[in-house]
Amino acid sequence: MVEKNTRTNPMIMKLDTPEYKSIFTDELISLVNIFKQYGYELRVAGGAVRDLLMGKKPKDLDFATTATPDQMKEMFTTENVRMINTKGEKHGTITPRINDKENFEVTTLRIDVTTDGRHAEVVFTTDWLLDANRRDLTINSMFLGLDGSVYDYFYGYEDIQKRRVVFVGDAITRIQEDYLRILRYFRFYGRIAKVANAHENNTLNAIRNNVEGLEQISGERIWVELKQILEGNFAGDLMATIIEVGIAPYIGLPNNPDVEQLQNVWRRSGTKKLHAITLLSSLLKTQEEVLSLNARLKLSTYERDLALFIVEHRQPKIHSNPLFPYQQLLVKSKSKVSHVHEWIVELLKYNDSPYLEEFQKWQLPKFPITGNMLKEHGVESGRFMGLVLNELRNLWAEGNFTQEADELLKNIPNIVSTLQEKRKSPKK
């Protein structure tokens, strides 16, 4: 059913801006000419139109057309245009590669016949209004003709001007078509809105009453959206709202996340750009909660280990040399040194440390001991030598990286003796 609040005449303006003109590569002009030649309409769809109306050059262009996938395939085959990525065909998307240089995703106008909250069964149409009606937000429901004409059925342009983020028509209907739209709402709010908490009550109520639908959405899809929220504008405020409406347990967060810690970290982070996981970690109280989050969102190993690192080491480290505890962490960690360095930087941002810049400038000195030196001192090769090297490296770090090789090598007998005793001791 088409929503009632639609324009009688959707063509609201013609664009002639530098950003609009910049999208016309030779390849796009070729694509436009092919569609004209065969009598099919072609328009830019969705986010690119929104960006152009906001004076931004879009990063990606998506296209919609009245041609069916079969008609497009026949047309491109006749014109000797190669098509790639056939996976999107069942959803109506054909991807021609023009001049063997630029790919364009072109999707047939469609209507959702049935939806299950994750996927939709579609039928194709030639009605632009019906296609606009199935889109999530008014600001994403506009089309742009390749003559500059902007088609806006649901007053998305006015919403852009007001920096207003609302669903097309009935919010509950749009959400139940795809529950991931709950998180898309917050992502676009961060991108569009001018203030942190100007959500409309009926939108938040629609979300609040449908949060359980996120349970059926894959962790990978949730993390794609959540990560962008965490790295965007108003991230701390948006996460607080996300928790307030009851989303937390459906996206891998505990039932009672540490909102106070989130707000503290967000407030003091200021202009420091935090990694998404760094900010998200503020909501977690234990490493067990990190592992539960990881099980739900399928984080990368790097992201999981960063969260574990933040939760383990975020308490202040008091020392007469403020950098010393973090230098020790870098040397003694068994993880990749470059990763640990990045994690410590995130940790210092998390705590708004005044020593962040000093740590970033600090260069880890070269460890003066090599495996050959240990061989010359009779240390057996293999895993045991690695253990001896680790012990020497720890001593070097505890001595503030000042000890030379000769001084460190004097410790070998004691280290070897201790390790051999441990090796002989029965494991309990």
Side-chain angles (χ1 to χ4, degrees):
M1 186 178 74
V2 176
E3 300 298 337
K4 294 177 182 178
N5 187 27
T6 62
R7 291 185 198 273
T8 306
N9 179 9
M11 207 284 272
I12 59 169
M13 69 172 74
K14 274 205 169 187
L15 281 183
D16 192 34
T17 62
E19 293 81 14
Y20 164 71
K21 292 175 181 177
S22 72
I23 70 174
F24 285 93
T25 60
D26 290 343
E27 287 65 40
L28 177 54
I29 292 168
S30 296
L31 182 74
V32 172
N33 289 336
I34 292 171
F35 275 85
K36 278 183 181 177
Q37 180 183 339
Y38 285 81
Y40 300 118
E41 281 189 90
L42 179 72
R43 297 177 186 173
V44 180
V49 186
R50 178 197 66 237
D51 289 346
L52 287 167
L53 289 172
M54 294 179 71
K56 302 176 183 177
K57 182 178 179 180
K59 294 179 182 177
D60 301 298
L61 295 175
D62 292 317
F63 295 87
T65 183
T66 53
T68 66
D70 286 341
Q71 289 169 333
M72 283 193 277
K73 286 194 293 183
E74 182 180 353
M75 175 175 69
F76 291 132
T77 300
T78 302
E79 296 298 320
N80 294 316
V81 172
R82 184 159 66 96
M83 289 165 278
I84 63 172
N85 187 21
T86 57
K87 291 180 181 178
E89 188 175 331
K90 67 179 180 180
H91 302 294
T93 301
I94 300 294
T95 307
R97 182 168 178 80
I98 304 295
N99 300 338
D100 204 28
K101 186 175 179 181
E102 192 171 359
N103 304 333
F104 298 96
E105 286 194 359
V106 187
T107 302
T108 304
L109 298 178
R110 52 193 177 163
I111 309 167
D112 294 342
V113 179
T114 59
T115 60
D116 63 5
R118 289 183 298 170
H119 309 292
E121 293 294 326
V122 302
V123 295
F124 302 131
T125 182
T126 57
D127 190 324
W128 294 93
L129 170 59
L130 292 178
D131 187 275
N133 188 70
R134 61 175 290 279
R135 295 178 182 263
D136 54 1
L137 304 170
T138 59
I139 57 173
N140 294 335
S141 68
M142 295 174 284
F143 300 104
L144 174 67
L146 279 307
D147 62 350
S149 299
V150 176
Y151 299 89
D152 177 16
Y153 295 91
F154 297 105
Y155 301 90
Y157 179 61
E158 283 81 357
D159 288 335
I160 285 176
Q161 290 178 308
K162 297 173 187 173
R163 295 294 191 264
R164 178 176 181 249
V165 183
V166 289
F167 290 96
V168 171
D170 179 58
I172 293 174
T173 301
R174 295 289 85 80
I175 289 169
Q176 291 178 351
E177 289 167 349
D178 181 356
Y179 289 103
L180 192 64
R181 287 175 171 175
I182 289 173
L183 294 179
R184 281 175 60 81
Y185 164 80
F186 288 106
R187 170 159 71 89
F188 282 105
Y189 187 95
R191 188 181 295 184
I192 300 296
K194 284 187 174 180
V195 295
N197 291 298
H199 307 281
E200 298 187 7
N201 287 333
N202 63 335
T203 298
L204 290 186
N205 287 335
I207 290 172
R208 188 178 284 109
N209 292 329
N210 285 279
V211 291
E212 69 280 357
L214 283 166
E215 198 165 31
Q216 62 184 278
I217 305 297
S218 73
E220 293 89 341
R221 290 182 73 204
I222 286 174
W223 180 229
V224 167
E225 295 294 330
L226 191 59
K227 188 173 183 179
Q228 292 180 80
I229 293 167
L230 289 159
E231 292 178 343
N233 299 328
F234 315 125
D237 303 284
L238 290 175
M239 286 306 301
T241 303
I242 282 171
I243 291 163
E244 189 276 323
V245 297
I247 292 173
Y250 301 103
I251 60 174
L253 290 169
N255 287 326
N256 294 299
D258 195 341
V259 178
E260 183 179 356
Q261 178 79 338
L262 164 76
Q263 291 171 333
N264 288 339
V265 172
W266 176 244
R267 184 183 65 252
R268 66 189 180 219
S269 66
T271 58
K272 301 180 184 75
K273 189 169 177 60
L274 298 175
H275 191 292
I277 278 291
T278 304
L279 185 57
L280 193 59
S281 298
S282 66
L283 290 164
L284 308 174
K285 298 172 185 174
T286 66
Q287 292 194 323
E288 288 72 24
E289 290 181 351
V290 173
L291 296 177
S292 294
L293 180 77
N294 177 62
R296 176 67 177 103
L297 297 185
K298 307 295 189 294
L299 304 172
S300 69
T301 301
Y302 179 94
E303 291 165 337
R304 179 202 66 197
D305 290 349
L306 171 56
L308 288 168
F309 186 88
I310 294 287
V311 170
E312 181 179 1
H313 296 293
R314 61 189 166 192
Q315 293 305 317
K317 302 181 185 303
I318 309 301
H319 195 277
S320 57
N321 174 3
L323 283 190
F324 186 76
Y326 301 102
Q327 294 166 338
Q328 296 284 296
L329 275 179
L330 182 61
V331 174
K332 293 184 178 182
S333 174
K334 294 178 181 178
S335 299
K336 190 176 179 181
V337 171
S338 61
H339 287 177
V340 179
H341 188 277
E342 291 167 3
W343 299 344
I344 293 171
V345 167
E346 288 298 310
L347 183 64
L348 293 170
K349 289 180 186 176
Y350 182 101
N351 286 323
D352 192 25
S353 170
Y355 305 105
L356 170 62
E357 189 175 348
E358 188 177 349
F359 179 80
Q360 288 175 308
K361 290 178 179 177
W362 178 73
Q363 295 290 321
L364 177 65
K366 184 178 179 181
F367 182 48
I369 303 297
T370 66
N372 285 334
M373 292 178 187
L374 297 190
K375 279 184 184 179
E376 291 170 4
H377 282 72
V379 178
E380 64 183 81
S381 298
R383 182 175 178 275
F384 189 78
M385 181 178 286
L387 294 173
V388 175
L389 272 172
N390 279 339
E391 292 298 321
L392 287 170
R393 188 177 285 107
N394 290 344
L395 286 172
W396 175 65
E398 287 163 8
N400 205 19
F401 316 103
T402 58
Q403 293 166 290
E404 299 292 341
D406 290 345
E407 191 176 353
L408 286 168
L409 291 170
K410 291 175 184 177
N411 296 285
I412 288 179
N414 285 338
I415 291 172
V416 169
S417 175
T418 301
L419 290 173
Q420 286 175 338
E421 284 299 316
K422 285 182 180 177
R423 191 157 60 175
K424 290 176 186 176
S425 299
K427 292 182 179 178
K428 294 183 180 180

